[in-house]
Amino acid sequence: MGDFIINFSNWIWDTPMLVLLMGGGFILFVYSGFLPFRRLGHAIKLVQGKYDDHNLPGQISSRQALSAAIAATVGLGNISGVAIAINMGGPGAIFWMWMSAFVGMATKYFSCSLAIMYRGKDSNGEVQGGPMYVIEEGMGKKWKPLAILFSVAGVLGLLSIFQANQLTAVLRSVLFIPNGLDGGESTKWVLGISMMLIVGVVILGGIKRIAMVASRLVPFMVGVYFISVVIILIQYIGNVPAMLHLIIVDAFTGQAVMGGAVGAVIILGARRAAFSNEAGIGTAPMVHGASKNNEPVREGLIAMLGPFIDTIVVCTLTALVILLTGVWESTENDGVRLTLSAFEMALPGIGKYLLMIAVLVFAMSTMFTYSYYGHKCFIYLFGPKKADYYNYFYLLTIVAGAVVSLEVVVSFIDGMYAVMAIPTMISTVYLAPKVKAATKEYFNRMGKV
């Protein structure tokens, strides 16, 4: 069974997901008239709160929705995912992550506009959004099996076991083992229970508390991480143009690894970008659908900033640190340990602690937001009266994630992500003309801002 799960995950995250996410996203990118490039300035004005109206239906502001969505995506994908991409695909994989991000901006624009356009209500009358409501309200009741498929995959796939496992590994390798404080299995249990209690305090307060914590924590941590990386870049500033050149050249030659297999580098870059910014998976529309906004186009424009911040900015910074320090060529480390060795080399003494704090905040913020996503899927399937059962199940799995070995479980979660992408992309492409019409009407009304 374990081998089947691993093989299924590897198969579906190869060509099928590349065609669905990259191919579907590219169609949306062209169909939008290259909107992510043309309307980036307007999106930035929107996120600054220039057009906010707090009296509109919804539970949180658009800015909080973006912070919560970024909280879920800016995390281990940016820190360890980039390292895995460079380790396996060489510097060229980063270029294909950039291309995937631009395509992902279009996907996020369409899917999150639809999340406002086709909101539903749960049995308590609370306004809800997400691919399951888009499918039911926008495509009709006959498509409901697709909405149920998304929700079942969401309940199972949006557990934060991977985050708990990786965070435990980082804390042990930076803090506990070097100081002789590690007790093996008992340390894992203590860390797991501690994480469960911290996450419990936040998530049992609902989306408003999750969004409040995320909107304060994430900008601060992105700031700390950004400053740390800039300090490293200043040290190696003369080599930055050469590294950017290396990324672009290697993207089309694949010379650094894989014997010049450019196709393999493209697949790897696209896969890592999908894990990093989650465009097309269907998670972001759930939180953007709860925004106090009755302008679908505005919410879509705000949402499309997510892949830009996540992949174009944060992933590029991480990649440059790894490439400039040379650790990708001179160490056997992989994943988060590769990024740790780069920070330690560039900022001796404090580098690994700065990265540990970043991983801590990013992993915890992801845990907060994932609970909300899974909670929404559970409510869609079983109603709000039974929703607390999901929270308790979610919290217990955090402890399990800290303690157990995870190859099969992570492959299972990856597989569920892929299953979630199928209904999300089908509904987004199917209803894209509705967003196109709304986009034209919005910018006409706004006087072509």
Side-chain angles (χ1 to χ4, degrees):
M1 187 66 185
D3 287 343
F4 170 77
I5 290 168
I6 293 166
N7 291 336
F8 170 74
S9 178
N10 287 336
W11 168 77
I12 202 164
W13 273 105
D14 202 326
T15 308
M17 279 298 106
L18 187 70
V19 171
L20 186 69
L21 293 174
M22 285 286 281
F26 183 72
I27 289 166
L28 293 170
F29 186 68
V30 174
Y31 184 64
S32 73
F34 308 102
L35 181 136
F37 291 150
R38 294 189 298 110
R39 300 298 184 185
L40 192 62
H42 186 59
I44 291 165
K45 284 181 188 168
L46 288 170
V47 86
Q48 289 169 344
K50 193 173 176 183
Y51 302 96
D52 279 4
D53 182 349
H54 299 288
N55 298 315
L56 291 170
Q59 299 170 64
I60 53 176
S61 72
S62 296
R63 187 175 181 173
Q64 286 177 319
L66 180 66
S67 292
I70 291 173
T73 55
V74 173
L76 295 171
N78 305 78
I79 293 172
S80 59
V82 171
I84 292 165
I86 292 172
N87 219 9
M88 292 175 64
I94 303 304
F95 177 85
W96 296 112
M97 286 183 76
W98 294 342
M99 294 304 101
S100 298
F102 286 124
V103 165
M105 286 173 76
T107 304
K108 278 258 173 104
Y109 172 71
F110 279 90
S111 62
C112 293
S113 294
L114 289 168
I116 295 290
M117 207 176 279
Y118 295 108
R119 286 201 262 210
K121 287 187 178 177
D122 61 31
S123 53
N124 279 356
E126 189 75 68
V127 172
Q128 300 284 4
M132 55 286 212
Y133 296 100
V134 169
I135 291 164
E136 193 174 333
E137 303 287 328
M139 296 171 73
K141 298 285 184 188
K142 65 181 179 185
W143 293 90
K144 188 163 182 174
L146 214 54
I148 291 169
L149 176 68
F150 175 86
S151 299
V152 170
V155 167
L156 297 171
L158 291 165
L159 300 170
S160 56
I161 312 177
F162 175 68
Q163 284 74 20
N165 182 269
Q166 289 290 282
L167 182 53
T168 300
V170 169
L171 290 170
R172 286 181 70 207
S173 62
V174 173
L175 221 51
F176 288 83
I177 294 170
N179 295 310
L181 301 171
D182 190 64
E185 291 299 312
S186 60
T187 302
K188 290 182 184 178
W189 278 98
V190 170
L191 289 170
I193 292 166
S194 302
M195 283 186 271
M196 179 187 76
L197 293 173
I198 294 166
V199 174
V201 167
V202 175
I203 72 169
L204 295 176
I207 181 58
K208 291 183 182 177
R209 189 180 296 172
I210 292 168
M212 182 188 75
V213 173
S215 62
R216 290 177 184 173
L217 216 54
V218 173
F220 168 74
M221 200 58 249
V222 170
V224 170
Y225 188 69
F226 186 80
I227 291 164
S228 305
V229 171
V230 167
I231 291 168
I232 295 170
L233 294 185
I234 289 168
Q235 291 181 50
Y236 297 90
I237 196 71
N239 296 331
V240 170
M243 288 302 130
L244 293 171
H245 182 258
L246 174 65
I247 288 170
I248 294 165
V249 169
D250 193 56
F252 296 96
T253 60
Q255 287 175 348
V257 287
M258 295 182 173
V262 176
V265 177
I266 295 171
I267 287 172
L268 190 77
R271 184 173 175 174
R272 286 296 136 221
F275 276 114
S276 172
N277 61 49
E278 292 171 24
I281 305 297
T283 50
M286 285 192 270
V287 72
H288 281 284
S291 164
K292 287 179 188 282
N293 196 345
N294 61 356
E295 290 275 13
V297 170
R298 278 187 191 160
E299 198 62 38
L301 288 165
I302 289 166
M304 81 177 187
L305 291 172
F308 184 84
I309 295 165
D310 178 271
T311 306
I312 305 295
V313 178
V314 183
C315 287
T316 302
L317 292 174
T318 304
L320 284 172
V321 168
I322 293 168
L323 294 173
L324 288 166
T325 55
V327 294
W328 66 288
E329 293 180 298
S330 60
T331 177
E332 293 300 309
N333 287 337
D334 60 359
V336 75
R337 292 182 304 161
L338 182 63
T339 317
L340 267 174
S341 59
F343 267 69
E344 182 64 2
M345 179 179 284
L347 301 170
I350 63 160
K352 64 181 181 182
Y353 295 108
L354 283 171
L355 190 70
M356 182 194 71
I357 293 165
V359 169
L360 177 67
V361 174
F362 288 157
M364 295 300 284
S365 63
T366 303
M367 288 182 197
F368 300 152
T369 318
Y370 270 24
S371 73
Y372 174 67
Y373 293 156
H375 196 250
K376 287 263 256 204
C377 293
F378 192 89
I379 285 173
Y380 182 80
L381 293 170
F382 303 108
K385 289 187 172 66
K386 295 178 181 171
D388 285 345
Y389 293 123
Y390 174 79
N391 280 337
Y392 302 136
F393 166 67
Y394 182 87
L395 289 169
L396 287 172
T397 63
I398 290 174
V399 182
V403 175
V404 300
S405 170
L406 269 183
E407 187 184 8
V408 174
V409 179
V410 168
S411 293
F412 173 73
I413 289 171
D414 290 351
M416 289 299 104
Y417 254 49
V419 174
M420 289 165 67
I422 295 166
T424 301
M425 290 303 293
I426 288 172
S427 60
T428 303
V429 173
Y430 183 90
L431 294 167
K434 303 282 189 186
V435 179
K436 176 107 170 177
T439 305
K440 187 176 179 183
E441 187 275 330
Y442 172 79
F443 283 108
N444 283 338
R445 183 159 36 92
M446 295 295 290
K448 307 284 186 187
V449 289

mmCIF file of all heavy atoms in Angstrom, residues 310-350:
data_model
loop_
_atom_site.group_PDB
_atom_site.id
_atom_site.type_symbol
_atom_site.label_atom_id
_atom_site.label_comp_id
_atom_site.label_asym_id
_atom_site.label_seq_id
_atom_site.Cartn_x
_atom_site.Cartn_y
_atom_site.Cartn_z
ATOM 1 N N ASP A 310 5.434 35.145 -3.234
ATOM 2 C CA ASP A 310 5.910 33.856 -2.768
ATOM 3 C C ASP A 310 7.066 33.322 -3.610
ATOM 4 O O ASP A 310 8.103 32.930 -3.074
ATOM 5 C CB ASP A 310 4.729 32.871 -2.817
ATOM 6 C CG ASP A 310 5.129 31.491 -2.403
ATOM 7 O OD1 ASP A 310 5.558 30.701 -3.263
ATOM 8 O OD2 ASP A 310 5.024 31.205 -1.218
ATOM 9 N N THR A 311 6.892 33.296 -4.922
ATOM 10 C CA THR A 311 7.862 32.621 -5.790
ATOM 11 C C THR A 311 8.865 33.583 -6.411
ATOM 12 O O THR A 311 10.071 33.341 -6.365
ATOM 13 C CB THR A 311 7.120 31.824 -6.893
ATOM 14 O OG1 THR A 311 6.172 30.959 -6.266
ATOM 15 C CG2 THR A 311 8.082 31.000 -7.720
ATOM 16 N N ILE A 312 8.363 34.696 -6.987
ATOM 17 C CA ILE A 312 9.279 35.635 -7.660
ATOM 18 C C ILE A 312 10.202 36.316 -6.650
ATOM 19 O O ILE A 312 11.394 36.497 -6.899
ATOM 20 C CB ILE A 312 8.505 36.701 -8.471
ATOM 21 C CG1 ILE A 312 7.540 36.050 -9.469
ATOM 22 C CG2 ILE A 312 9.468 37.644 -9.185
ATOM 23 C CD1 ILE A 312 8.179 35.246 -10.564
ATOM 24 N N VAL A 313 9.657 36.685 -5.479
ATOM 25 C CA VAL A 313 10.469 37.410 -4.491
ATOM 26 C C VAL A 313 11.165 36.445 -3.522
ATOM 27 O O VAL A 313 12.391 36.340 -3.508
ATOM 28 C CB VAL A 313 9.612 38.442 -3.709
ATOM 29 C CG1 VAL A 313 10.458 39.151 -2.655
ATOM 30 C CG2 VAL A 313 9.001 39.466 -4.664
ATOM 31 N N VAL A 314 10.380 35.719 -2.714
ATOM 32 C CA VAL A 314 10.976 34.950 -1.608
ATOM 33 C C VAL A 314 11.816 33.775 -2.119
ATOM 34 O O VAL A 314 12.933 33.550 -1.650
ATOM 35 C CB VAL A 314 9.889 34.464 -0.620
ATOM 36 C CG1 VAL A 314 10.524 33.727 0.553
ATOM 37 C CG2 VAL A 314 9.060 35.633 -0.097
ATOM 38 N N CYS A 315 11.290 33.018 -3.101
ATOM 39 C CA CYS A 315 12.059 31.879 -3.624
ATOM 40 C C CYS A 315 13.351 32.326 -4.304
ATOM 41 O O CYS A 315 14.383 31.659 -4.189
ATOM 42 C CB CYS A 315 11.224 31.052 -4.596
ATOM 43 S SG CYS A 315 9.942 30.059 -3.808
ATOM 44 N N THR A 316 13.301 33.464 -5.012
ATOM 45 C CA THR A 316 14.507 33.974 -5.688
ATOM 46 C C THR A 316 15.570 34.350 -4.668
ATOM 47 O O THR A 316 16.760 34.072 -4.859
ATOM 48 C CB THR A 316 14.161 35.185 -6.581
ATOM 49 O OG1 THR A 316 13.172 34.782 -7.525
ATOM 50 C CG2 THR A 316 15.387 35.692 -7.315
ATOM 51 N N LEU A 317 15.154 34.984 -3.566
ATOM 52 C CA LEU A 317 16.110 35.358 -2.518
ATOM 53 C C LEU A 317 16.796 34.118 -1.944
ATOM 54 O O LEU A 317 18.013 34.088 -1.767
ATOM 55 C CB LEU A 317 15.388 36.128 -1.405
ATOM 56 C CG LEU A 317 14.854 37.516 -1.781
ATOM 57 C CD1 LEU A 317 14.036 38.101 -0.634
ATOM 58 C CD2 LEU A 317 15.982 38.471 -2.149
ATOM 59 N N THR A 318 15.998 33.084 -1.656
ATOM 60 C CA THR A 318 16.572 31.843 -1.120
ATOM 61 C C THR A 318 17.530 31.220 -2.123
ATOM 62 O O THR A 318 18.635 30.777 -1.756
ATOM 63 C CB THR A 318 15.444 30.836 -0.788
ATOM 64 O OG1 THR A 318 14.524 31.446 0.110
ATOM 65 C CG2 THR A 318 16.004 29.573 -0.142
ATOM 66 N N ALA A 319 17.123 31.184 -3.393
ATOM 67 C CA ALA A 319 17.965 30.587 -4.439
ATOM 68 C C ALA A 319 19.307 31.309 -4.542
ATOM 69 O O ALA A 319 20.365 30.666 -4.647
ATOM 70 C CB ALA A 319 17.235 30.635 -5.779
ATOM 71 N N LEU A 320 19.276 32.651 -4.506
ATOM 72 C CA LEU A 320 20.520 33.422 -4.625
ATOM 73 C C LEU A 320 21.469 33.144 -3.458
ATOM 74 O O LEU A 320 22.681 33.038 -3.652
ATOM 75 C CB LEU A 320 20.207 34.929 -4.719
ATOM 76 C CG LEU A 320 19.684 35.402 -6.080
ATOM 77 C CD1 LEU A 320 19.224 36.849 -6.008
ATOM 78 C CD2 LEU A 320 20.730 35.226 -7.190
ATOM 79 N N VAL A 321 20.921 33.001 -2.252
ATOM 80 C CA VAL A 321 21.771 32.687 -1.086
ATOM 81 C C VAL A 321 22.468 31.341 -1.291
ATOM 82 O O VAL A 321 23.678 31.201 -1.059
ATOM 83 C CB VAL A 321 20.931 32.674 0.212
ATOM 84 C CG1 VAL A 321 21.718 32.068 1.362
ATOM 85 C CG2 VAL A 321 20.504 34.092 0.570
ATOM 86 N N ILE A 322 21.702 30.338 -1.746
ATOM 87 C CA ILE A 322 22.268 28.991 -1.948
ATOM 88 C C ILE A 322 23.319 29.009 -3.058
ATOM 89 O O ILE A 322 24.393 28.402 -2.931
ATOM 90 C CB ILE A 322 21.144 27.977 -2.257
ATOM 91 C CG1 ILE A 322 20.251 27.784 -1.022
ATOM 92 C CG2 ILE A 322 21.707 26.642 -2.721
ATOM 93 C CD1 ILE A 322 18.953 27.046 -1.280
ATOM 94 N N LEU A 323 23.041 29.734 -4.149
ATOM 95 C CA LEU A 323 23.964 29.769 -5.288
ATOM 96 C C LEU A 323 25.214 30.592 -4.986
ATOM 97 O O LEU A 323 26.337 30.186 -5.312
ATOM 98 C CB LEU A 323 23.256 30.326 -6.526
ATOM 99 C CG LEU A 323 22.121 29.465 -7.101
ATOM 100 C CD1 LEU A 323 21.406 30.212 -8.219
ATOM 101 C CD2 LEU A 323 22.629 28.126 -7.592
ATOM 102 N N LEU A 324 25.024 31.757 -4.351
ATOM 103 C CA LEU A 324 26.159 32.652 -4.075
ATOM 104 C C LEU A 324 27.151 32.048 -3.090
ATOM 105 O O LEU A 324 28.362 32.237 -3.227
ATOM 106 C CB LEU A 324 25.654 34.004 -3.542
ATOM 107 C CG LEU A 324 24.976 34.921 -4.571
ATOM 108 C CD1 LEU A 324 24.221 36.042 -3.877
ATOM 109 C CD2 LEU A 324 25.994 35.503 -5.552
ATOM 110 N N THR A 325 26.639 31.320 -2.096
ATOM 111 C CA THR A 325 27.545 30.723 -1.095
ATOM 112 C C THR A 325 28.230 29.472 -1.621
ATOM 113 O O THR A 325 29.207 28.999 -1.031
ATOM 114 C CB THR A 325 26.778 30.372 0.205
ATOM 115 O OG1 THR A 325 25.664 29.535 -0.131
ATOM 116 C CG2 THR A 325 26.297 31.616 0.912
ATOM 117 N N GLY A 326 27.717 28.923 -2.729
ATOM 118 C CA GLY A 326 28.331 27.745 -3.335
ATOM 119 C C GLY A 326 28.031 26.432 -2.645
ATOM 120 O O GLY A 326 28.574 25.388 -3.024
ATOM 121 N N VAL A 327 27.171 26.457 -1.622
ATOM 122 C CA VAL A 327 26.932 25.222 -0.853
ATOM 123 C C VAL A 327 26.253 24.145 -1.703
ATOM 124 O O VAL A 327 26.384 22.956 -1.421
ATOM 125 C CB VAL A 327 26.085 25.479 0.421
ATOM 126 C CG1 VAL A 327 26.838 26.340 1.421
ATOM 127 C CG2 VAL A 327 24.734 26.112 0.090
ATOM 128 N N TRP A 328 25.564 24.560 -2.761
ATOM 129 C CA TRP A 328 24.862 23.566 -3.597
ATOM 130 C C TRP A 328 25.835 22.654 -4.348
ATOM 131 O O TRP A 328 25.486 21.553 -4.745
ATOM 132 C CB TRP A 328 23.929 24.271 -4.587
ATOM 133 C CG TRP A 328 24.631 25.095 -5.627
ATOM 134 C CD1 TRP A 328 25.277 26.287 -5.434
ATOM 135 C CD2 TRP A 328 24.772 24.783 -7.013
ATOM 136 N NE1 TRP A 328 25.797 26.754 -6.613
ATOM 137 C CE2 TRP A 328 25.504 25.853 -7.599
ATOM 138 C CE3 TRP A 328 24.354 23.738 -7.826
ATOM 139 C CZ2 TRP A 328 25.837 25.879 -8.959
ATOM 140 C CZ3 TRP A 328 24.679 23.765 -9.184
ATOM 141 C CH2 TRP A 328 25.409 24.830 -9.728
ATOM 142 N N GLU A 329 27.093 23.137 -4.506
ATOM 143 C CA GLU A 329 28.106 22.325 -5.198
ATOM 144 C C GLU A 329 29.037 21.596 -4.243
ATOM 145 O O GLU A 329 29.703 20.656 -4.635
ATOM 146 C CB GLU A 329 28.956 23.226 -6.105
ATOM 147 C CG GLU A 329 28.202 23.815 -7.280
ATOM 148 C CD GLU A 329 29.084 24.694 -8.139
ATOM 149 O OE1 GLU A 329 29.590 25.710 -7.635
ATOM 150 O OE2 GLU A 329 29.275 24.363 -9.320
ATOM 151 N N SER A 330 29.054 22.056 -2.982
ATOM 152 C CA SER A 330 30.101 21.565 -2.078
ATOM 153 C C SER A 330 29.597 20.814 -0.854
ATOM 154 O O SER A 330 30.356 20.535 0.058
ATOM 155 C CB SER A 330 30.947 22.764 -1.607
ATOM 156 O OG SER A 330 30.119 23.691 -0.916
ATOM 157 N N THR A 331 28.307 20.488 -0.819
ATOM 158 C CA THR A 331 27.788 19.805 0.368
ATOM 159 C C THR A 331 26.829 18.695 -0.036
ATOM 160 O O THR A 331 26.231 18.737 -1.107
ATOM 161 C CB THR A 331 27.072 20.801 1.309
ATOM 162 O OG1 THR A 331 26.527 20.074 2.413
ATOM 163 C CG2 THR A 331 25.915 21.511 0.621
ATOM 164 N N GLU A 332 26.710 17.714 0.835
ATOM 165 C CA GLU A 332 25.772 16.603 0.598
ATOM 166 C C GLU A 332 24.385 16.922 1.154
ATOM 167 O O GLU A 332 23.453 16.141 0.991
ATOM 168 C CB GLU A 332 26.301 15.316 1.264
ATOM 169 C CG GLU A 332 27.573 14.769 0.638
ATOM 170 C CD GLU A 332 27.402 14.403 -0.831
ATOM 171 O OE1 GLU A 332 26.444 13.681 -1.151
ATOM 172 O OE2 GLU A 332 28.218 14.844 -1.650
ATOM 173 N N ASN A 333 24.263 18.056 1.845
ATOM 174 C CA ASN A 333 22.980 18.397 2.465
ATOM 175 C C ASN A 333 21.898 18.617 1.417
ATOM 176 O O ASN A 333 22.177 19.030 0.289
ATOM 177 C CB ASN A 333 23.104 19.676 3.316
ATOM 178 C CG ASN A 333 23.865 19.419 4.592
ATOM 179 O OD1 ASN A 333 23.930 18.294 5.059
ATOM 180 N ND2 ASN A 333 24.457 20.454 5.150
ATOM 181 N N ASP A 334 20.649 18.367 1.816
ATOM 182 C CA ASP A 334 19.537 18.666 0.920
ATOM 183 C C ASP A 334 18.407 19.303 1.717
ATOM 184 O O ASP A 334 18.450 19.368 2.934
ATOM 185 C CB ASP A 334 19.043 17.392 0.211
ATOM 186 C CG ASP A 334 18.559 16.340 1.199
ATOM 187 O OD1 ASP A 334 18.630 16.593 2.413
ATOM 188 O OD2 ASP A 334 18.121 15.268 0.749
ATOM 189 N N GLY A 335 17.399 19.799 0.999
ATOM 190 C CA GLY A 335 16.239 20.383 1.670
ATOM 191 C C GLY A 335 16.630 21.527 2.578
ATOM 192 O O GLY A 335 17.518 22.322 2.271
ATOM 193 N N VAL A 336 15.975 21.580 3.731
ATOM 194 C CA VAL A 336 16.167 22.708 4.645
ATOM 195 C C VAL A 336 17.599 22.761 5.183
ATOM 196 O O VAL A 336 18.120 23.829 5.489
ATOM 197 C CB VAL A 336 15.116 22.663 5.780
ATOM 198 C CG1 VAL A 336 15.436 21.577 6.794
ATOM 199 C CG2 VAL A 336 14.977 24.016 6.453
ATOM 200 N N ARG A 337 18.275 21.608 5.253
ATOM 201 C CA ARG A 337 19.654 21.594 5.759
ATOM 202 C C ARG A 337 20.620 22.281 4.788
ATOM 203 O O ARG A 337 21.637 22.835 5.214
ATOM 204 C CB ARG A 337 20.099 20.156 6.037
ATOM 205 C CG ARG A 337 19.359 19.522 7.213
ATOM 206 C CD ARG A 337 19.838 18.120 7.496
ATOM 207 N NE ARG A 337 19.722 17.279 6.316
ATOM 208 C CZ ARG A 337 20.380 16.133 6.164
ATOM 209 N NH1 ARG A 337 21.210 15.718 7.096
ATOM 210 N NH2 ARG A 337 20.218 15.406 5.072
ATOM 211 N N LEU A 338 20.318 22.235 3.494
ATOM 212 C CA LEU A 338 21.145 22.932 2.506
ATOM 213 C C LEU A 338 21.044 24.445 2.713
ATOM 214 O O LEU A 338 22.048 25.163 2.705
ATOM 215 C CB LEU A 338 20.697 22.567 1.088
ATOM 216 C CG LEU A 338 21.496 23.175 -0.074
ATOM 217 C CD1 LEU A 338 22.935 22.683 -0.056
ATOM 218 C CD2 LEU A 338 20.851 22.838 -1.406
ATOM 219 N N THR A 339 19.802 24.936 2.918
ATOM 220 C CA THR A 339 19.604 26.365 3.179
ATOM 221 C C THR A 339 20.258 26.759 4.506
ATOM 222 O O THR A 339 20.850 27.839 4.614
ATOM 223 C CB THR A 339 18.106 26.715 3.192
ATOM 224 O OG1 THR A 339 17.460 26.043 2.106
ATOM 225 C CG2 THR A 339 17.881 28.202 3.036
ATOM 226 N N LEU A 340 20.174 25.883 5.511
ATOM 227 C CA LEU A 340 20.824 26.146 6.803
ATOM 228 C C LEU A 340 22.333 26.314 6.625
ATOM 229 O O LEU A 340 22.929 27.241 7.194
ATOM 230 C CB LEU A 340 20.565 24.982 7.775
ATOM 231 C CG LEU A 340 19.369 25.070 8.714
ATOM 232 C CD1 LEU A 340 19.195 23.764 9.477
ATOM 233 C CD2 LEU A 340 19.480 26.232 9.693
ATOM 234 N N SER A 341 22.963 25.430 5.841
ATOM 235 C CA SER A 341 24.422 25.519 5.661
ATOM 236 C C SER A 341 24.804 26.792 4.908
ATOM 237 O O SER A 341 25.854 27.392 5.171
ATOM 238 C CB SER A 341 24.973 24.273 4.958
ATOM 239 O OG SER A 341 24.389 24.105 3.698
ATOM 240 N N ALA A 342 23.926 27.256 3.975
ATOM 241 C CA ALA A 342 24.194 28.511 3.248
ATOM 242 C C ALA A 342 24.151 29.696 4.207
ATOM 243 O O ALA A 342 25.025 30.581 4.165
ATOM 244 C CB ALA A 342 23.179 28.689 2.123
ATOM 245 N N PHE A 343 23.140 29.738 5.072
ATOM 246 C CA PHE A 343 23.021 30.832 6.047
ATOM 247 C C PHE A 343 24.185 30.805 7.032
ATOM 248 O O PHE A 343 24.707 31.854 7.414
ATOM 249 C CB PHE A 343 21.686 30.726 6.801
ATOM 250 C CG PHE A 343 20.572 31.523 6.173
ATOM 251 C CD1 PHE A 343 20.040 31.145 4.949
ATOM 252 C CD2 PHE A 343 20.069 32.656 6.781
ATOM 253 C CE1 PHE A 343 19.012 31.875 4.352
ATOM 254 C CE2 PHE A 343 19.044 33.393 6.200
ATOM 255 C CZ PHE A 343 18.519 33.001 4.982
ATOM 256 N N GLU A 344 24.586 29.621 7.457
ATOM 257 C CA GLU A 344 25.687 29.496 8.421
ATOM 258 C C GLU A 344 27.006 29.945 7.793
ATOM 259 O O GLU A 344 27.825 30.590 8.451
ATOM 260 C CB GLU A 344 25.783 28.045 8.909
ATOM 261 C CG GLU A 344 26.861 27.790 9.941
ATOM 262 C CD GLU A 344 26.660 28.517 11.264
ATOM 263 O OE1 GLU A 344 25.642 29.224 11.439
ATOM 264 O OE2 GLU A 344 27.536 28.410 12.133
ATOM 265 N N MET A 345 27.202 29.646 6.518
ATOM 266 C CA MET A 345 28.432 30.058 5.829
ATOM 267 C C MET A 345 28.485 31.580 5.667
ATOM 268 O O MET A 345 29.513 32.211 5.875
ATOM 269 C CB MET A 345 28.524 29.388 4.456
ATOM 270 C CG MET A 345 29.769 29.796 3.676
ATOM 271 S SD MET A 345 29.878 28.972 2.069
ATOM 272 C CE MET A 345 30.397 27.342 2.595
ATOM 273 N N ALA A 346 27.356 32.180 5.278
ATOM 274 C CA ALA A 346 27.328 33.623 4.991
ATOM 275 C C ALA A 346 27.251 34.467 6.260
ATOM 276 O O ALA A 346 27.793 35.572 6.307
ATOM 277 C CB ALA A 346 26.148 33.941 4.086
ATOM 278 N N LEU A 347 26.555 33.958 7.277
ATOM 279 C CA LEU A 347 26.401 34.686 8.552
ATOM 280 C C LEU A 347 26.823 33.778 9.697
ATOM 281 O O LEU A 347 25.977 33.272 10.454
ATOM 282 C CB LEU A 347 24.942 35.131 8.734
ATOM 283 C CG LEU A 347 24.339 36.057 7.658
ATOM 284 C CD1 LEU A 347 22.845 36.198 7.865
ATOM 285 C CD2 LEU A 347 25.010 37.431 7.697
ATOM 286 N N PRO A 348 28.123 33.535 9.858
ATOM 287 C CA PRO A 348 28.589 32.580 10.876
ATOM 288 C C PRO A 348 28.078 32.944 12.270
ATOM 289 O O PRO A 348 28.049 34.118 12.651
ATOM 290 C CB PRO A 348 30.115 32.711 10.811
ATOM 291 C CG PRO A 348 30.403 33.323 9.489
ATOM 292 C CD PRO A 348 29.228 34.190 9.169
ATOM 293 N N GLY A 349 27.643 31.933 12.995
ATOM 294 C CA GLY A 349 27.183 32.162 14.376
ATOM 295 C C GLY A 349 25.703 32.446 14.480
ATOM 296 O O GLY A 349 25.001 31.820 15.269
ATOM 297 N N ILE A 350 25.216 33.407 13.679
ATOM 298 C CA ILE A 350 23.792 33.784 13.822
ATOM 299 C C ILE A 350 22.907 33.303 12.673
ATOM 300 O O ILE A 350 21.698 33.242 12.808
ATOM 301 C CB ILE A 350 23.615 35.313 13.983
ATOM 302 C CG1 ILE A 350 24.105 36.044 12.704
ATOM 303 C CG2 ILE A 350 24.302 35.837 15.215
ATOM 304 C CD1 ILE A 350 23.547 37.451 12.582
#
